[in-house]
Amino acid sequence: MEKKKFKRPYYYVYPTINSGGVVYVNDVPVMSNIGEKSKTGMISGQMPINHVLLQSGKYDVVGKMFPRSGEKAITEKESFMIDLEMFDAGLNWKETDHEFSPSIETPWHGLSENIEYPAFEIATKIEVELPFVLDGWQNSVDLREVKDIWQTTILYFRKLYDILRNHDAQKFLELSAEKEKLQATAFYYDEAKREGIRQSIIGLFAENLEVMPLDESKLKLEFWGYGRLVTLTRIDGSAALQFLSPNPETQSNVELEVKLHMKKENEELCII
């Protein structure tokens, strides 16, 4: 496959997580199997990554493997694999889809049954070529050095919590405008596609679902993007902001992942 044919390169990972675990690309999580859902079985699927790459270059892809919920160690039965693939979004998907870098995985025979692993990691470096440069959070403030970042982040999440509780989709879209613009460029969305995404968010808010309470004692601060992104997650690693499922037995909660950055020192946090 000649690179010159790829006018709209669309990079993605295809993990198979048969354990507890998270996939990071450029130090940003793109897929996870954590909390209650990690107790049994596995998850797998295609996850696009253009929006966390931001521009051409070399990047780290890391699979962090953890014990399943309720377990203390990873057993020899657990496994983790990440395929690295791409296609041209402007051409036929089936004709252009291919592996652009070798897959990574845990040892084919499993981890040693004689060793208790509290965690295990697989990693590689990838090189990508993209037709754009997105500022995103690349030049933002290192939030690990910001005083009172915990309280600042909590206050922003409480604002978002009130927006969710009031089912104010328009306000949520307004605050997410920078993120929407970044993703539209990263994935070559036209206006029809962008409007479709907006309408799906409006539809979700229109369901008037209850929102899971935001209890500070059950939240933790996480830094991503080498310190330039911050978020809040629950102790089990799930999203801090969640709409409660109307049918818990058949459908899980709707989690809203929110990444925040600060463009310049002493400015407000904003969604990216």
Side-chain angles (χ1 to χ4, degrees):
M1 195 73 63
E2 296 180 23
K3 290 185 178 180
K4 65 180 181 181
K5 294 182 179 180
F6 286 78
K7 295 182 179 179
R8 293 186 173 186
Y10 190 109
Y11 293 90
Y12 68 93
V13 293
Y14 198 107
T16 300
I17 309 176
N18 184 28
S19 66
V22 181
V23 178
Y24 292 85
V25 178
N26 197 19
D27 197 41
V28 180
V30 296
M31 180 180 281
S32 64
N33 190 35
I34 51 183
E36 288 294 311
K37 66 182 181 181
S38 72
K39 282 190 172 181
T40 59
M42 69 174 68
I43 65 167
S44 65
Q46 176 180 312
M47 191 59 60
I49 60 174
N50 282 20
H51 64 306
V52 297
L53 297 173
L54 303 176
Q55 67 178 51
S56 300
K58 295 181 179 180
Y59 298 93
D60 292 319
V61 176
V62 180
K64 293 187 178 181
M65 192 176 185
F66 309 115
R68 295 182 183 275
S69 178
E71 301 295 328
K72 295 182 178 179
I74 305 168
T75 74
E76 71 275 10
K77 297 179 181 179
E78 272 76 60
S79 61
F80 203 134
M81 179 177 181
I82 305 174
D83 290 325
L84 302 156
E85 303 188 26
M86 68 175 296
F87 60 89
D88 191 325
L91 299 174
N92 184 286
W93 175 81
K94 289 184 178 180
E95 293 180 359
T96 60
D97 185 66
H98 70 286
E99 186 177 79
F100 73 90
S101 189
S103 301
I104 54 174
E105 61 184 316
T106 49
W108 67 270
H109 49 72
L111 301 182
S112 173
E113 60 183 338
N114 300 317
I115 301 175
E116 288 193 351
Y117 290 91
F120 193 82
E121 189 173 292
I122 57 176
T124 190
K125 284 189 177 293
I126 60 172
E127 185 169 6
V128 305
E129 293 185 8
L130 292 166
F132 51 74
V133 176
L134 298 173
D135 187 44
W137 54 88
Q138 295 191 82
N139 300 304
S140 299
V141 175
D142 187 340
L143 297 168
R144 295 168 296 188
E145 300 176 0
V146 174
K147 184 179 180 181
D148 298 326
I149 188 62
W150 165 261
Q151 191 59 33
T152 304
T153 306
I154 281 286
L155 288 174
Y156 197 97
F157 268 74
R158 290 222 168 271
K159 177 170 69 173
L160 293 176
Y161 175 79
D162 288 339
I163 290 171
L164 266 59
R165 191 174 54 179
N166 293 325
H167 303 100
D168 190 346
Q170 291 300 332
K171 185 62 178 178
F172 185 80
L173 287 171
E174 178 186 322
L175 293 176
S176 304
E178 185 181 0
K179 174 184 177 180
E180 182 201 346
K181 182 178 179 181
L182 181 148
Q183 293 195 334
T185 301
F187 299 121
Y188 319 105
Y189 293 157
D190 58 19
E191 183 53 36
K193 177 66 173 180
R194 294 177 72 171
E195 182 59 25
I197 294 172
R198 294 185 203 112
Q199 290 303 319
S200 67
I201 294 173
I202 291 171
L204 171 62
F205 277 65
E207 292 182 35
N208 294 319
L209 300 174
E210 291 185 46
V211 183
M212 183 179 286
L214 208 58
D215 183 347
E216 291 186 24
S217 66
K218 297 179 180 179
L219 300 174
K220 60 181 179 179
L221 201 64
E222 290 203 45
F223 296 101
W224 298 333
Y226 305 105
R228 290 174 169 76
L229 295 171
V230 69
T231 192
L232 288 177
T233 62
R234 296 181 182 272
I235 298 302
D236 66 0
S238 62
L241 297 172
Q242 300 185 33
F243 282 120
L244 294 175
S245 170
N247 302 297
E249 294 182 0
T250 59
Q251 180 182 344
S252 59
N253 291 346
V254 180
E255 299 185 26
L256 283 77
E257 181 194 277
V258 173
K259 301 188 293 288
L260 304 175
H261 75 137
M262 184 182 293
K263 294 181 180 179
K264 297 180 180 178
E265 288 186 27
N266 302 317
E267 288 191 350
E268 292 186 356
L269 291 171
C270 54
I271 297 174
I272 184 66

